[in-house]
């Protein structure tokens, strides 16, 4: 698998880049997944993209994170057609009804730990790769999985390396991978990986 590398300017944000890319794909009535709900910001973004007729599934292993996400969505009156799932993203497939298989337009992973939360609870290489694998199965053609990664915390570099190894094993005929990364000299800057299903 060839991975297309794109270097970004100083001050670049992988979260903003991810949102720009996904907003070009999602339209009113679509289905999307936030594989790591966290504080709910990505869930809110996805819901704004798919509108009142669209549906967003949001996963998190921490109930407190889901409660924060719920409160945020309710604040903006966007809690309709939101399904919050207290589970790890390695269980995407078993928690999403089969009628959505092949109909999910975007899946967003924001790896690492919950901002402002317990930093000892972090995503892990195996479960993240399991989640990405299942996300690709659920995904519609010409749609994508977005992975925001961080290498600065303990285990973050190992997780990134394992994910890159996995991505290189994908069939190039079926998937196109792009790696967006900062071009400056920052130590362990965050980055973005996108996987488009052909």
């Amino acid at each position: 698998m060839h991975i297309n590398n794109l270097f970004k300017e100083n001050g670049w944000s992988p979260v903003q880049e991810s949102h720009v890319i996904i907003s070009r794909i999602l339209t009113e009535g679509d289905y999307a997944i936030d594989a790591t709900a966290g504080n709910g910001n990505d869930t809110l973004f996805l819901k704004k993209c798919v509108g009142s007729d669209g549906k967003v599934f949001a996963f998190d292993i921490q109930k407190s994170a889901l409660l924060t996400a719920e409160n945020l969505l309710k604040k903006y009156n966007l809690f309709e057609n939101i399904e919050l799932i207290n589970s790890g993203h390695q269980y995407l497939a078993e928690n999403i009804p089969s009628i959505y298989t092949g109909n999910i337009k975007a899946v967003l992973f924001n790896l690492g730990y919950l901002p402002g939360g317990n930093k000892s609870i972090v995503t892990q290489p195996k479960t993240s790769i399991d989640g990405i694998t299942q996300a690709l199965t659920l995904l519609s053609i010409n749609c994508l999985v977005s992975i925001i990664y961080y290498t600065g915390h303990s285990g973050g570099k190992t997780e990134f390396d394992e994910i890159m190894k996995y991505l290189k094993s994908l069939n190039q005929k079926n998937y196109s991978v792009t790696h967006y990364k900062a071009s400056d000299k920052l130590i362990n800057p965050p980055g973005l990986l996108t996987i488009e299903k052909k």
Side-chain angles (χ1 to χ4, degrees):
M1 161 66 72
H2 169 73
I3 297 178
N4 183 31
N5 290 296
L6 293 179
F7 293 91
K8 309 302 287 187
E9 297 302 320
N10 291 345
W12 168 77
S13 165
V15 173
Q16 290 177 358
E17 185 84 33
S18 172
H19 287 191
V20 168
I21 294 167
I22 289 174
S23 67
R24 295 180 188 140
I25 294 171
L26 290 178
T27 58
E28 179 83 25
D30 282 343
Y31 310 125
I33 299 171
D34 183 354
T36 46
N39 287 318
N41 294 307
D42 289 333
T43 310
L44 177 65
F45 159 73
L46 292 172
K47 183 56 181 171
K48 286 179 177 178
C49 288
V50 303
S52 58
D53 292 331
K55 187 174 181 70
V56 176
F57 299 90
F59 287 73
D60 208 288
I61 60 171
Q62 298 182 71
K63 288 183 179 180
S64 60
L66 294 177
L67 179 60
T68 301
E70 179 178 346
N71 290 337
L72 180 64
L73 290 155
K74 286 181 175 177
K75 175 183 175 182
Y76 289 93
N77 295 313
L78 289 172
F79 196 61
E80 184 180 10
N81 286 331
I82 294 283
E83 190 164 336
L84 301 177
I85 301 166
N86 186 204
S87 178
H89 45 233
Q90 68 269 35
Y91 302 114
L92 287 182
E94 67 185 65
N95 280 284
I96 294 179
S98 59
I99 58 168
Y100 295 100
T101 300
N103 293 310
I104 300 294
K105 295 296 182 69
V107 184
L108 202 161
F109 289 79
N110 199 330
L111 303 179
Y113 54 80
L114 175 67
N118 185 346
K119 293 185 179 181
S120 69
I121 303 175
V122 295
T123 54
Q124 301 294 324
K126 184 184 185 309
T127 52
S128 292
I129 290 169
D130 286 348
I132 294 164
T133 302
Q134 291 174 42
L136 292 173
T137 301
L138 295 166
L139 206 63
S140 179
I141 300 297
N142 298 323
C143 295
L144 65 80
V145 171
S146 166
I147 307 160
I148 299 161
Y149 68 85
Y150 306 87
T151 57
H153 64 276
S154 177
K157 180 67 165 57
T158 299
E159 181 176 44
F160 168 72
D161 290 342
E162 290 298 313
I163 289 171
M164 289 297 284
K165 189 185 301 182
Y166 164 77
L167 295 180
K168 288 174 182 175
S169 74
L170 293 176
N171 189 329
Q172 193 166 345
K173 293 180 180 179
N174 299 327
Y175 302 102
S176 175
V177 177
T178 302
H179 184 196
Y180 302 80
K181 50 187 175 179
S183 60
D184 59 14
K185 303 289 186 178
L186 291 175
I187 299 172
N188 298 320
L192 169 66
L193 293 157
T194 61
I195 315 165
E196 182 183 359
K197 188 174 184 178
K198 299 179 180 180

